[in-house]
Amino acid sequence: MPKRLREYLLNNKEEKEMKKKLAVLLCASMLGTALTACGSNSSSDQTASSSTEESKWASTEETFDPLTVEDAVTFEELRESNGAITKSSDEYSFAGNVKAFENVVWQEIANGYEGFAEDATAAGCKLSVDTTSPMGESDEEGQLSILKDQVRKGVNAVLLSPISDANCLPGIEAAHEADIPVYAVNNEFNGADMFVGPNSLEQGQLAAEWVNEKLGGSGDVAIVMGMAKTAVTRNRTQGFEEWFADNDSDIQVVAKQNADWDRSQAKDVAATFLKTYPDLKAIFCNNDVMALGVIEAVKEADLTLNKDIYVIGCDGQSEAYDSIRANEMAATIDTFPYYEGYMAAEVCYRSLIGQTVPRVVFTPSKMLDSTNVDNTPEENIGWTDPVFE
């Protein structure tokens, strides 16, 4: 586990520590049995008592923070410990539910789900994945309606990336009542039985470390944040801010404001920042979409990108790659969304066929700038295809 993550855990132990540990231990001891059972479709699975049913799944009332789960592993560590994927004769179906296809990150995560299903099918497994999204990243009710419909249709697992921390809670509870496990992909939420995605606190730290090096350890910077009610926003922002204090940097975060993942809002926020803080040297954005809006504001302010000011994004969208190549966006923290989706589907499948899988599996993130933006994703994360036997 990275030193910075260990320090974070130590600093936050006092907050409901015993309560969280008990919840994690209970989930860990019972989740494997529950997941295997949900894949069998046996009628005997439905005869459990109400008290057993309540303890089988994660609670939507208990705070779930992947950063506090002590047995969390990286995806690479999971593969090393579990080895090949056994070819099960059982048929499985996954429902994918992402924030919005209009954002290429979520489309790529969905493509990753399908990519694993295709590879598993080609290897002799029986797996199908159907992924849907609401109309936009603000359509919270629409996403909940989709989730409830997916549960009614019946699947073996749901791979869910909710718009906010709470908008899908009734659908998660409905899934658990139907003996369907719910996997958090990319962003955590209460009621998630497992989490697969990047360490969002560490992503903010990566961005801060990069900015510190570029600015020589001093200067004013700002943050354009995503939606306030998502853990990813909070963690990326916190990781960025705390890195400077923890590393004795003279860089000061002089402003931060939410732009709700929206490009035009981010442009307006940045325009205000640039007028209010004329000495601003860098702006960190919680995602690439907002970073692209910030770049527009910088241009309109007649500032030179990557000289007067640096703009850093997060997610690794293809448009961010193009912007880096054009010497506009300075850098992005790539989460490799296609492979993130692929890894999530693989983790889900491994757990359903009975392999031991911890509750939290972290997928890789990497800082991309002009020095490595032309590497393939496979090169940047050292990707290898799974082995089926």
Side-chain angles (χ1 to χ4, degrees), residues 49-50 57 107 145 147 165 174 231 243 260 284 299 307 343 364:
S49 67
S50 59
W57 309 110
Q107 181 63 65
S145 177
L147 177 57
D165 289 349
W243 189 94
D260 296 343
F284 170 52
K299 289 179 178 179
K307 182 179 179 182
M343 293 176 202

Side-chain angles (χ1 to χ4, degrees), residues 24-317:
V24 170
L25 288 171
L26 182 61
C27 180
S29 65
M30 304 192 70
L31 185 56
T33 301
L35 292 178
T36 303
C38 81
S40 67
N41 294 319
S42 168
S43 59
S44 64
D45 295 338
Q46 309 301 322
T47 63
S49 67
S50 59
S51 61
T52 302
E53 289 297 318
E54 290 175 358
S55 63
K56 185 181 291 185
W57 309 110
S59 170
T60 56
E61 298 179 358
E62 294 289 340
T63 300
F64 174 42
D65 182 357
L67 298 176
T68 66
V69 176
E70 295 182 351
D71 67 345
V73 299
T74 66
F75 180 77
E76 182 179 6
E77 290 169 338
L78 176 76
R79 274 192 174 175
E80 288 176 356
S81 63
N82 283 19
I85 301 172
T86 304
K87 297 178 184 178
S88 173
S89 60
D90 293 332
E91 294 186 16
Y92 295 98
S93 61
F94 297 169
N97 188 321
V98 297
K99 294 183 182 182
F101 287 147
E102 65 182 11
N103 185 328
V104 69
V105 169
W106 302 111
Q107 181 63 65
E108 281 296 282
I109 285 177
N111 292 342
Y113 295 159
E114 187 62 35
F116 175 76
E118 290 175 357
D119 288 350
T121 300
C125 304
K126 299 175 181 178
L127 173 64
S128 61
V129 181
D130 183 21
T131 304
T132 310
S133 86
M135 296 299 293
E137 289 198 50
S138 62
D139 186 11
E140 297 185 36
E141 287 298 324
Q143 186 180 36
L144 174 59
S145 177
I146 289 169
L147 177 57
K148 288 180 175 179
D149 187 55
Q150 290 171 321
V151 170
R152 282 193 295 268
K153 290 179 179 178
V155 291
N156 296 103
V158 175
L159 301 167
L160 177 63
S161 303
I163 290 171
S164 72
D165 289 349
N167 72 294
C168 286
L169 293 183
I172 295 165
E173 292 170 349
H176 289 164
E177 290 174 2
D179 262 1
I180 300 171
V182 181
Y183 289 72
V185 180
N186 189 267
N187 52 293
E188 62 267 28
F189 50 85
N190 294 354
D193 300 299
M194 289 189 179
F195 170 82
V196 185
N199 181 331
S200 51
L201 183 81
E202 194 170 46
Q203 289 174 327
Q205 295 168 341
L206 287 172
E209 187 173 11
W210 188 94
V211 167
N212 189 70
E213 182 178 347
K214 282 292 182 182
L215 299 185
S218 65
D220 292 344
V221 301
I223 308 171
V224 178
M225 303 183 294
M227 291 185 70
K229 50 189 174 181
T230 62
V232 169
T233 292
R234 295 189 294 271
N235 289 341
R236 287 175 178 174
T237 300
Q238 179 182 341
F240 186 78
E241 288 183 290
E242 291 184 349
W243 189 94
F244 300 119
D246 293 343
N247 290 274
D248 298 322
S249 173
D250 288 329
I251 288 178
Q252 300 294 320
V253 178
V254 296
K256 57 182 179 179
Q257 185 173 328
N258 298 96
D260 296 343
W261 311 121
D262 184 80
R263 185 168 180 160
S264 61
Q265 286 189 51
K267 179 182 177 181
D268 292 341
V269 168
T272 300
F273 283 171
L274 294 171
K275 291 177 182 177
T276 308
Y277 304 97
D279 294 328
L280 209 57
K281 298 301 181 185
I283 300 177
F284 170 52
C285 305
N286 284 169
N287 78 348
D288 288 333
V289 171
M290 296 189 298
L292 292 165
V294 170
I295 287 170
E296 293 175 20
V298 170
K299 289 179 178 179
E300 290 182 6
D302 291 326
L303 296 172
T304 303
L305 288 157
N306 300 316
K307 182 179 179 182
D308 297 324
I309 191 168
Y310 297 97
V311 178
I312 302 92
C314 193
D315 285 339
Q317 287 193 9

Side-chain angles (χ1 to χ4, degrees), residues 1 120 325:
M1 183 181 293
R325 292 183 180 115

